[in-house]
Amino acid sequence: MSNVKITIPKDFILGAAASAWQTEGWSGKKEGQDSWLDAWYKNDRHVWHEGYGPAVATDFINRYREDVALMKQAGLTHYRTSINWSRFFTDYENGVVDEEYAQYYDNLIDEMRRSGIEPMICLEHYELPATLFETYGGWASKKVVDLYLLYAEKVFARYAHKVNRWFTFNEPIVVQTRVYLDALRWPYEQNTHKWMQWNHHKNLATAKVVKHFREKGYSGTIGCILNPEVTYARSSAAHDQQAAQIYDLFYNRVFLDPLVHGEYPQQLMELLEKHNVQWDYTEQELAIIRENTVDELGINLYYPHRVKAPSRAWNPETPFHPAYYYEPFELPGRRMNKSRGWEIYPRIVYDMAMRIKTEYRNIPWFVAESGMGTENEAQFRNADGVIEDDYRIAFISEHLYQTLRAREDGANCQGYMLWAFTDNVSPMNAFKNRYGLIEINLQNNRERRAKKSAHWYRTLGETRTLQITIDDEWK
């Protein structure tokens, strides 16, 4: 065992993240302002753990002052959340702002700034207005790209003088992958063509928003938050290596390459054509993407993804899916978060950092989400009523260590953001797995209480020193 101390640079972000829909609740929401997530919850409530969904969430919209005080208490330097597009307008076609909701964001941003916490705002965190999903097919439509640009224009005009860090999407690949590729979420339509169309239109929307942001001369940066799955092949054999390469192509590079390099990978284009995946794009759209790459990336990192070459022939009666080229692989003996069913492998942060350094022009980036969801945390409550979440402290320490080590080795990494600040609602899992520095007590009016990790995180920020025990002993 080695006891290691590593200095955290003064300009290194130590923050936390959440989203509008996972925290705010529906208080004050008007008829017709449902998001896709609200519609999913209303149509399919039985799949959400114990029926909890976005209806109340953590009631942040009414309790943000209390929560900002807790952010300060936990030592956050930055807090990332989203604006809920579905609530920002009362008329999506004409861009009529819901003044009540917009004023809430004025108040929230002002409250954060008074407390010395830098706001980082994402324009879309799965909050596509339900009516645009139902009317136009969501991101399958170029009309929605235009309406999203209108939304971004209105948001920037209102808040750009208060916010310096902007992001077009959080995890832009997720919704269409769950709905159209894997058919795991409402409305359960397996359609690879729509999946790729959504990918393209989100890339195009990002480029158009970046173009507008720069043409207006707004100060600050504009980026995107991705969730690339750091992918490892089962073996060094060519067939397994190809499986990992193609997985990476479809799930990671489909956004990484256009956002940073301005173009889709040629191999991806060839495979889409080979499998007759129908998606509509123009040379003009590709030019817009090419000319308007992002300033920075947020990278969400939780677990590794391991694959192997497929062991069975593809069923020709089913539509093309990237799984034509791979199968999941479970590493024997892997370390697991048994609550979440995810492998724990902190090395993913370092490996992703080195990849960005060498393959993506060492663009500025930061860990935008990293965290540990644990079920039944009440079992760790001490005699004083505080949850002693040493497992979370260990998880953060190990992943932060890999982040700082990568920075020392030349990665242009700007910080580490924990998911999440408070316990909050997750898709389907609801409050089953808790991620927060702050406990949300559902049985007592959503009372807030700092966990042990919140006090530790504050000390981390004050001392700017990470102390960690590395298991490097030959036993």
Side-chain angles (χ1 to χ4, degrees), residues 165-169 206 210 221-225 259 294-298:
R165 303 284 283 275
W166 294 96
F167 304 92
T168 55
F169 293 95
T206 291
V210 168
T221 56
I222 178 90
C224 189
I225 296 163
L259 291 180
V294 295
D295 294 324
E296 68 172 333
L297 292 174

Side-chain angles (χ1 to χ4, degrees), residues 424-440:
N424 56 35
V425 176
S426 295
M428 295 172 66
N429 277 302
F431 286 99
K432 179 182 179 183
N433 295 296
R434 303 301 188 97
Y435 285 88
L437 295 171
I438 308 296
E439 176 192 5
I440 299 292

Side-chain angles (χ1 to χ4, degrees), residues 280-384:
D280 179 50
Y281 65 93
T282 67
E283 289 303 317
Q284 181 186 22
E285 290 170 352
L286 295 182
I288 292 170
I289 290 171
R290 186 165 54 249
E291 294 162 8
N292 298 281
T293 55
V294 295
D295 294 324
E296 68 172 333
L297 292 174
I299 301 291
N300 297 346
L301 294 165
Y302 289 94
Y303 56 88
H305 197 89
R306 302 183 188 274
V307 297
K308 61 181 180 178
S311 55
R312 298 182 182 181
W314 189 256
N315 179 356
E317 301 302 316
T318 61
F320 170 70
H321 186 292
Y324 180 96
Y325 290 101
Y326 69 85
E327 287 180 5
F329 170 66
E330 294 184 351
L331 181 70
R334 67 199 182 282
R335 180 180 162 202
M336 293 291 292
N337 173 357
K338 292 180 178 144
S339 288
R340 196 66 182 88
W342 288 349
E343 181 181 347
I344 298 174
Y345 189 64
R347 173 81 188 208
I348 58 173
V349 182
Y350 185 87
D351 289 347
M352 190 70 220
M354 292 301 103
R355 184 178 186 190
I356 293 172
K357 177 185 173 184
T358 58
E359 297 180 29
Y360 292 97
R361 57 184 171 87
N362 208 16
I363 190 172
W365 70 281
F366 61 98
V367 177
E369 290 182 22
S370 173
M372 185 172 189
T374 303
E375 194 172 353
N376 298 324
E377 279 201 318
Q379 66 184 299
F380 303 108
R381 196 181 306 281
N382 66 18
D384 296 322

